Amino acid sequence: MRTAKNSVSSAMMDMCNGPMARNIIRFAIPLMISRLTQLLFNAADIIVVSNFCGEDALAAVGSTTSLINLLLNLLVGMSTATNILAARHLGEGRFDKVSKLAHTSVLISLSSGIFFAILGILISRPALVLMKSPENVIDLSTLYLRIYCMGIPASIVYNFGAALLNAKGDTKKPLYIISVSGVINFLLNLFFVTVLKMSVDGVAYATIISQYISAARIINCLVKDESPVHIDIKKLKLYKEHVADILKIGIPSGLQGMVFSFSNMTVQSSVNYFGKDVMAAYAATNSIQGFLYTVCNASTTLHSLLQVRMSVRVSGTE
């Protein structure tokens, strides 16, 4: 029979000892692929609508990307804070803090996700008007964006859950989950559009269904996990000290991403001025640009691994 200590150690990847290069490869490659796979959700929508729904639908879906990212980036920054803090506490051996942080993170992801979903639904059309979305596209854009916003809670829960698993060195489970959800998203896109003859509403529903599937699976992984990031649904609670830590690290990180998204919204507003044909072309090329940007910034995925090793070395010298 395994002791609690052995159970914990076997459920975690040992990123604190051994050859650095091997640990980096085992940790980073699945995480990089996961980030690229997440981009396929929007890319799948664009591929399907461009082939089956016409230029109006393609322009509508593409014109919402920068606004969606603006809503999501603050929350994704908060999940980055969860990843950093969990990795630090794991490296220092403070498993009680990890458990409290994990339960706090899940509640933050749920509550903030619901808030931003409601906010996104309310500001969708006014924001698109400010971005000079053409009259022949704005109705489709608003419909897609409002449906998509309904999936924000699931998207944020997945990102927070993946951050906790990544912190203990498990980057494979999030990759499996997002890969399966990506396949489901693409198949549902085809079903809703080609079989049920839906338009942008079909690809939006396909996206949020696959997002809720990934959220449910990541929570299930955390519930079954044997390491300190284990979640007990009945014990979910906000711990003030961890809320403060997440906000302290997460808000600056999120605001940085929001500034980048705001600049993209400015570009999109200029593109919208030229009409649906240019909007459709920009949507297609912007999807490819997202993959290139993610590849160029792949080095940031090593941060958690380095954080763990640094924490252990610092704590070991005290």
Side-chain angles (χ1 to χ4, degrees), residues 89-257:
H89 296 324
L90 283 169
E92 295 170 343
R94 299 179 179 181
F95 299 148
D96 182 58
K97 281 194 171 185
V98 176
S99 179
K100 291 179 179 179
L101 175 70
H103 287 80
T104 299
S105 297
V106 171
L107 272 185
I108 288 179
S109 65
L110 283 172
S111 56
S112 59
I114 292 172
F115 173 79
F116 276 86
I118 296 172
L119 177 64
I121 291 171
L122 293 176
I123 70 169
S124 292
R125 192 174 188 89
L128 290 168
V129 170
L130 288 175
M131 292 172 64
K132 303 175 184 178
S133 185
E135 291 185 2
N136 59 339
V137 173
I138 193 169
D139 288 337
L140 287 174
S141 297
T142 302
L143 176 62
Y144 176 82
L145 188 55
R146 285 176 174 170
I147 296 173
Y148 192 99
C149 285
M150 295 167 59
I152 287 179
S155 177
I156 299 307
V157 167
Y158 168 81
N159 277 282
F160 270 80
L164 290 169
L165 291 176
N166 292 340
K168 69 159 191 160
D170 187 353
T171 54
K172 292 182 179 179
K173 285 191 181 73
L175 173 58
Y176 296 152
I177 291 171
I178 201 66
S179 297
V180 172
S181 296
V183 172
I184 292 173
N185 177 47
F186 186 72
L187 294 177
L188 288 177
N189 276 335
L190 292 175
F191 175 75
F192 287 141
V193 173
T194 63
V195 178
L196 299 185
K197 305 302 180 183
M198 300 173 73
S199 181
V200 297
D201 53 340
V203 295
Y205 283 124
T207 297
I208 67 171
I209 289 172
S210 57
Q211 285 175 336
Y212 276 100
I213 290 174
S214 63
R217 294 190 67 197
I218 205 80
I219 290 296
N220 184 58
C221 284
L222 291 172
V223 169
K224 293 182 177 180
D225 198 276
E226 297 180 357
S227 75
V229 302
H230 165 77
I231 293 295
D232 186 340
I233 300 298
K234 297 180 180 179
K235 296 182 180 179
L236 290 178
K237 180 181 177 181
L238 291 175
Y239 294 91
K240 293 182 180 180
E241 66 273 21
H242 294 298
V243 173
D245 288 340
I246 291 173
L247 294 177
K248 182 179 179 181
I249 298 175
I251 288 181
S253 176
L255 289 177
Q256 180 180 347

